[in-house]
Amino acid sequence: MLQNSEIIKSLLSKKQIGLVISINDLRDKEFSGIKLSPDEKFALSNYDNYRLKVLNNIAEEDKFHQSYRQLQVIANLSDWREFLKEEFSK
């Protein structure tokens, strides 16, 4: 299993071609009353669990804020399908 910092680096370094649907796009879709597919719900759940795991394991305030910002970028820019991968479902 990849370490959290390796996962974050991997997600931030992905080159996206064209528009992607992000985790935050799925949240907007859900808040608008549009029903999500099971995979979309699973990806949201995986992201939320991953986010909590990363942030709960940080004791230093500066590192916490840096990771929080990185996770915000990931939620805004990464394709939601990235969160269907095995490393996020544990």
Side-chain angles (χ1 to χ4, degrees):
M1 185 165 127
L2 294 173
Q3 296 292 347
N4 289 332
S5 61
E6 292 171 337
I7 293 171
I8 289 174
K9 285 178 188 176
S10 170
L11 288 168
L12 290 174
S13 69
K14 295 235 184 245
K15 301 281 190 243
Q16 302 291 344
I17 298 174
L19 295 176
V20 299
I21 298 173
S22 70
I23 287 294
N24 284 343
D25 291 331
L26 292 184
R27 288 198 198 288
D28 290 343
K29 181 178 173 180
E30 185 177 43
F31 290 143
S32 296
I34 300 169
K35 187 175 178 179
L36 300 179
S37 73
D39 278 348
E40 291 171 331
K41 289 179 185 178
F42 186 64
L44 276 178
S45 176
N46 280 349
Y47 173 79
D48 289 338
N49 291 334
Y50 176 70
R51 180 178 173 271
L52 287 173
K53 183 172 73 171
V54 168
L55 296 177
N56 284 334
N57 288 321
I58 301 173
E60 297 176 36
E61 188 174 350
D62 289 341
K63 288 183 181 180
F64 176 89
H65 289 294
Q66 179 183 3
S67 293
Y68 183 85
R69 286 189 299 273
Q70 286 177 332
L71 289 164
Q72 284 181 310
V73 169
I74 289 168
N76 279 315
L77 301 176
S78 293
D79 191 315
W80 68 271
R81 290 171 193 88
E82 291 291 325
F83 295 94
L84 294 175
K85 295 181 179 176
E86 183 178 324
E87 62 257 28
F88 297 106
S89 61
K90 293 182 178 178

